[in-house]
Amino acid sequence: MSHPIAIVGGGPAGALAAAQLATGGKDVLLFDEKLAWEKPCGGGLTHRALQQYPFLAEAGSPDLPVEHNLVDRNLVEHCELISPSGQRVRFHLEYPVAIFSRLALNGLLLERARRAGVAIHKQRITRIERVGRDWQLFTPQLEYRASYAILAAGARNPFRAQFLSPISPSDLMVTAGYFIPGRASLMQIQFLKAITGYIWVFPRADHVSAGIAGKMGETATAELRRILESWLEDNGFPLAGASFYSHILPSFRAQSFATLEVCGQCWAMIGDSAGLVDPITGEGLYYALRSAELCASALLAGRPDQYRTALEEEVLPELRLAASVSPRFYRGRI
């Protein structure tokens, strides 16, 4: 008996992989405890991502339900970079950045997966075990069998250690931020003294996502929050009615990318689970989507190991370069 492919995690990576596999004729189960939700991050999609996935660049489509229409997307054409010393440069972006509510983005991608025939389960996977040549996945109520498992559940999911060692704290970044009511049209990036990270202000359709990121172990989360709140106050962003968030992101060192494993015997990792985030910019959405596409293509071709090869050829060289440059970018003299 042939069991389906199981995907743990219903964010952009998991949802896109599920849709492509189902469209290619595979039987797919997707598990996520929350499904579409307002994940704490900026939500920016660059021109490269919009070119690769044109449906994300569309303002909306009449064949989509209203609740999954892209009403929570904001095209931003102006950016301001601020140096640690306070010098500012403002410029027009040749290619706009699309700032999404993650609720809308995840909802859109999950709807595409559902329409492709994916069986979507709003359930929490509590345990994964190898049973012969298959995988057994446990929820609090049920058990499922799968022939192949794709992990797409973020950097600190509890299952990564079953396939590989957990991500080291030295390869993680802490973020803290606020969703602030109000509208804006300017994307801002403030670089900071003695912090491997930055403050961002991303204007979404009906609110602003403002946050700060720093290497885990270098600056305490409470201190990052204090720095952010002080900056927001100085720059005219009142926190009345704002909601706080905190999150963990991968930010791999060069040596970690050099030894990265992304797949093995009947399993693969995509997106943040595999650590595929730019260590300088923190961009993860493009790499989540692209790794999902490459993984699905390899499985549809009947050559799962081709996923590793495709990442080596297309994605990992630029991430390794960014990792090698990141310490000097944030700490060195340029």
Side-chain angles (χ1 to χ4, degrees), residues 140 153 182 306:
Q306 187 63 34

Side-chain angles (χ1 to χ4, degrees), residues 40-42 175-180 188 198-204 207-213 228-229 231-232 237 239 242-245:
C41 75
T175 71
Y178 287 94
F179 296 129
I180 304 172
Q188 294 173 284
Y198 55 89
I199 290 172
W200 71 82
V201 174
F202 281 12
R204 294 180 173 185
H207 68 276
V208 171
S209 172
I212 186 171
L228 173 64
E229 289 176 349
W231 188 93
L232 291 172
F237 290 95
L239 293 180
S243 55
F244 176 76
Y245 65 79

